[in-house]
Amino acid sequence: MDKEIGREIILEHFQHPLNKEEIHDDRYIKINSRNPNCIDNLDIAILIEDSTIKDIKFMGEACAISTSSTSIMIKNLIGKSVKEAINYINNFYHMVNEEEYDEKVLNEALCFQDIYKQNNRKSCALLPYRGILKVLEEYESK
Amino acid sequence: MHREDFPMLNQDIIYLDNGATSLKPKSVIAKQVDYYENYSANAHRGDYDISYKVDLEYENTRDLVRDFIGAKRKEEIVFTSGTTDSLNLIVNGFFANLLEAGDEILITKMEHASNVMPWFRIAGETGAVIKYIPLDDNYFVTLENVKASITPKTKVISLAEITNVVGDIRPIKEITKYAHEKDIFVVVDGAQSVPHKKINVTDSDIDFLAFSAHKMLGPTGVGVMYAKYELMQNIEPVNLGGGMNESFDSPEKMVLKEVPTRLEAGTPNIAGVIGLGEAIKYLNKIGMENIEKYEKNLRNYFIEKLVSIPHIDILNLESDSGIVAFNVDGIFAEDVAYYLNKYNICVRAGNHCAKLTKDILGVTNSIRVSLYFYNTESEIDNLIELLKDKDKIMKEMI
Ligand SMILES: Cc1ncc(COP(=O)(O)O)c(C=O)c1O
């Protein structure tokens, strides 16, 4: 992805994050993602029904990278089956860790293509993914 | 001032994170290398010349510390691994034996984790209660608020002399005077004050003081615990072992050495302690009053420029120390730090280990600039130039 376009996507999602709202609904599974090295602190709530991700919302305080990464992740995950979602997340991990990945799966999240060059920001981009992957894998194994 | 003495400043960096740790002058580094290269023996066990030299140097630092903080006797100085270690020793070695259920411990919500968590735990163990002194509109501690917070149950007041977020200088001497009228102990966290201003424990009459070498040009892993001699006698060692015992025959028969050695079990950080001595010599040479004055001027210079930037919100406008905390409107503190890092400017972003502050400041995170005497107006100019342009920050922070 073109660097300038990538930067604009990140900024747009940071300034106007999607799905940032509080959820009080017991059907949602709640996840807290914290970054031990910094101050990011996100609460994510996910609704899974019939092996499909119906909705995700998030709240919290986080830097531009974490916030936009969360917003983009949620946008990409809503509507996916749990299996597709796990595949998407694994591809994102691979991209950030400089391993082989499928560009087509990631679409907008490709704006983090170069994040591996900034070691101290990798964990920001990955922040929302960690907790959610665990929840999805647990759902799959049930 | 004295920038040529600091090898780190040969790099192209602007170091504004002195609240976290200070840079080290050549003489302090050389002093430690000298120990490792020329008389690298253990302390307190010297039966030969070089070991004797270790004892001399090690104890010489104790004298230097005593003099530096205005203590009466060298036995009032214990070497620890840092402020955190010192505060834990004060809490667990002294107050653990003193506090009873219902007793009150007075702190503030601006304290560093190291002056909060040991108290939290001891409160849990003894049934003592943590109370917070209310802060004024500038987040300062006033004598009036201390007075109003004291009850017949108050046993101890534990305060940073200068806090690491707001950087206000607390009226420690006045607080101590009042506290002592009520038989209340005063513990001072000197981590941010001892490196930056003249302190005199005898004059201020405080009971305990904790500080770290690494924030005052010295090595990491070394700190000091000061306690009044009479109180020092009643501190139970937290660590038992080599160096601090006279004899041990059975669990019933353990004879310990006198203070301060009794409280320094195990091989200490010898190079570090000796390095601290050299740091104190260096600071004395410049003069603490000069350092204080210089930093105050530099702070004023910085603040004057910073207030004129509309998108900057300064959290501690009224403070006197070299600590300036602020936020850029609409931008996360850490993103600003990343942006400045691109220009080799080192500032801290975050909650600065003072997580209770969010209740008070209403913000969890901020950018902190903390100055020392080797910082300059031209460094401040550089920083201001980068902060002025919000679009540039937005553009370059990712
Ligand atoms: C006010 C205050 N207290 C305690 C500490 C802890 O010092 P150390 O990490 O050297 O033990 C610090 C250091 O950040 C501090 O600023």
Side-chain angles (χ1 to χ4, degrees), chain B residues 19 82-85 87 112 114 160 162 164 189 191-192 212 214-215:
Chain B
T83 306
T84 304
D85 193 25
L87 288 167
H112 187 278
S114 299
I162 297 182
N164 59 318
D189 170 354
Q192 298 292 347
S212 302
H214 70 93
K215 294 185 201 280

Side-chain angles (χ1 to χ4, degrees), chain B residues 350-361:
Chain B
N351 50 42
H352 318 299
C353 293
K355 300 194 185 192
L356 298 174
T357 56
K358 65 172 181 297
D359 296 357
I360 308 270
L361 294 177

Side-chain angles (χ1 to χ4, degrees), chain A residues 13-41:
Chain A
H13 278 273
F14 166 58
Q15 290 178 301
H16 310 285
L18 307 172
N19 293 296
K20 190 169 182 195
E21 61 183 77
E22 199 122 28
I23 278 288
H24 301 282
D25 182 337
D26 290 343
R27 295 173 308 152
Y28 284 71
I29 303 168
K30 310 226 160 35
I31 309 157
N32 178 260
S33 285
R34 268 169 197 268
N35 199 338
N37 299 324
C38 63
I39 41 205
D40 296 335
N41 187 358

